[in-house]
Amino acid sequence: MLCGSAPAVMADGAATEHEQMLNRAGKLLVAYKDSEALALYEQVLKTDADNYEALCKASYLHCRIGDRYTDETSKSDHFEQARNLALRAYALAPEDAEANYVMALALGSSAMIAGPKQRLATIYQVKPFIDKALACDNQHAGAWYILGRWYFKVANLNIAEQAAAKVFFGGIEEKPTNQDAADALTNAIRYNPDNIRYYYDLACVYEEMKDKEACIHTLQQALTVNLETKDELELSRRCKIMMQEVYAKK
């Protein structure tokens, strides 16, 4: 359920062509053909700059594609484009779950390659967007995933980060725990049980909590997910390695 209504697609003849391109792009996205899907969404935006669906999906894809690069220049370029697109989507529908989700995703992605102060600043910037996305749609798996990551990061700030947060931002009011992170990631899995990354990150949280049984159970679930991409195969490999390491500690 969404709080606000997403902007309508154009009503003239161009709308039909755009709907066809959006439909093709959506199928490519589901098939993990990210670059091809992004090209179609960007093609729509060339003639319909305020197409809400294209803005949200293009922002999401820039984050997903940028995350795969190892060099910061390429990452930064994709994440900056993701942020700009998310801002445009948010301007159109600030009450909609998807606009808030892509804002949180783009800001969080940019923080990955930012300096320590900017990463801490992002903690404050991201949370309201996550909260709004979930207030609009409490079954939004992606938003639950970002919330879980947020909880885990804040729960495990080191002493230097805690001190910096207090100096620059007056401290962090929320005091989440690793259990909060685990609960949020469990919700992400509940609403999208086919994303192996959710299982992997949940297993990492349980490992931090030293809950070996929960960690192993989560990893076993991860290994039942159908794999489609190289990224997923790599995560599956990491799950197997983690399982071996956890078993060795039992």
Side-chain angles (χ1 to χ4, degrees):
M1 182 183 299
L2 302 181
C3 290
S5 298
V9 181
M10 295 167 61
D12 59 16
T16 301
E17 182 181 354
H18 287 165
E19 288 169 358
Q20 291 173 348
M21 284 194 287
L22 290 170
N23 186 49
R24 293 202 305 273
K27 290 178 179 178
L28 289 167
L29 190 154
V30 171
Y32 300 96
K33 296 181 179 180
D34 292 353
S35 296
E36 296 173 49
L38 178 59
L40 279 177
Y41 287 125
E42 291 180 336
Q43 188 176 342
V44 170
L45 292 171
K46 285 180 180 178
T47 52
D48 183 8
D50 290 338
N51 188 289
Y52 181 70
E53 180 181 351
L55 287 169
C56 289
K57 294 295 175 59
S59 178
Y60 169 78
L61 283 166
H62 272 297
C63 286
R64 195 154 86 171
I65 292 169
D67 191 48
R68 298 190 186 113
Y69 282 93
T70 55
D71 66 289
E72 290 195 4
T73 300
S74 297
K75 279 184 179 291
S76 179
D77 179 60
H78 279 288
F79 294 160
E80 180 63 18
Q81 291 187 68
R83 189 179 72 84
N84 290 335
L85 291 162
L87 282 168
R88 288 164 58 186
Y90 184 77
L92 291 172
E95 299 301 317
D96 189 66
E98 202 64 21
N100 283 276
Y101 166 65
V102 293
M103 278 298 301
L105 181 63
L107 288 170
S109 296
S110 296
M112 291 167 48
I113 55 175
K117 184 177 178 180
Q118 183 57 42
R119 283 198 299 272
L120 283 172
T122 302
I123 289 176
Y124 292 84
Q125 296 168 355
V126 166
K127 187 59 162 49
F129 294 112
I130 306 172
D131 290 343
K132 177 59 75 68
L134 288 172
C136 292
D137 179 4
N138 65 2
Q139 296 184 15
H140 197 299
W144 278 114
Y145 174 70
I146 297 177
L147 180 61
R149 292 284 300 267
W150 190 90
Y151 279 150
F152 186 66
K153 174 60 180 175
V154 175
N156 293 283
L157 290 175
N158 60 40
I159 294 175
E161 289 171 327
Q162 292 177 36
K166 187 172 184 178
V167 170
F168 293 118
F169 311 109
I172 298 173
E173 292 185 8
E174 285 193 65
K175 302 293 183 183
T177 65
N178 286 329
Q179 186 60 57
D180 292 323
D183 291 343
L185 291 170
T186 298
N187 278 332
I189 291 170
R190 176 179 296 119
Y191 299 122
N192 182 5
D194 298 322
N195 192 318
I196 191 171
R197 182 172 293 277
Y198 295 174
Y199 295 95
Y200 176 74
D201 281 11
L202 178 57
C204 289
V205 173
Y206 283 134
E207 185 178 38
E208 179 68 25
M209 294 169 67
K210 300 186 180 353
D211 188 337
K212 296 178 182 178
E213 295 301 326
C215 182
I216 289 172
H217 176 68
T218 302
L219 291 168
Q220 288 172 336
Q221 288 182 305
L223 296 176
T224 67
V225 174
N226 291 328
L227 307 176
E228 301 283 348
T229 68
K230 290 182 180 179
D231 294 343
E232 291 174 330
L233 288 168
E234 172 58 23
L235 284 169
S236 180
R237 185 185 71 84
R238 293 183 191 177
C239 287
K240 292 173 183 175
I241 292 172
M242 187 188 297
M243 188 180 296
Q244 292 172 354
E245 292 173 346
V246 174
Y247 269 121
K249 294 176 184 176
K250 289 190 71 176

